[in-house]
Amino acid sequence: MVSGRPVGDVEVADTYQSRRKGLLGRDGIDGAIWLRPCRHVHTMGMRFTIDVALIDRHGRVLHVQTMPPRRFSAVKLRCHSVLEAEAGVLERWGVRPGVQLTAE
């Protein structure tokens, strides 16, 4: 949910193995994947461009960026988790710095 509004399916990756795999090996994703805990990500080995939101421990979005393959995300000191989706999805959902996210 974005600021209390349902937006789409979110898969939670909260084990070491599920966070390590993330979106690697996939050709796309319906919805998004929330990696927690996670401080930053990379797109080495990715097959598609993704949107990334860096999120603090309270669910507030700190930074949003679009990442083509073979890139590293920004690093934000207060980042506690990362939301990943196909490019364009986070903008459609209204995910931008300052909004509150929850997975329900």
Side-chain angles (χ1 to χ4, degrees), residues 2-3 11 24 31 43 55 62 64 70-71 77 84 101:
V2 176
S3 296
E11 173 185 336
L24 292 174
T43 56
I55 305 162
L62 302 169
V64 178
R70 299 178 304 283
R71 300 291 191 276
L77 294 178
E84 298 179 337
L101 301 182

Side-chain angles (χ1 to χ4, degrees), residues 34-92:
W34 197 336
L35 308 165
R36 53 185 189 194
C38 182
R39 297 187 49 95
H40 57 87
V41 296
H42 66 82
T43 56
M44 303 301 173
M46 294 287 296
R47 298 178 180 162
F48 56 98
T49 300
I50 62 172
D51 286 341
V52 172
L54 304 180
I55 305 162
D56 72 11
R57 69 177 53 257
H58 305 291
R60 182 126 353 240
V61 175
L62 302 169
H63 177 79
V64 178
Q65 71 184 98
T66 299
M67 296 176 55
R70 299 178 304 283
R71 300 291 191 276
F72 290 90
S73 70
V75 175
K76 299 292 181 182
L77 294 178
R78 294 181 297 136
C79 183
H80 182 261
S81 62
V82 176
L83 183 69
E84 298 179 337
E86 285 194 41
V89 168
L90 297 187
E91 183 177 2
R92 279 196 311 275

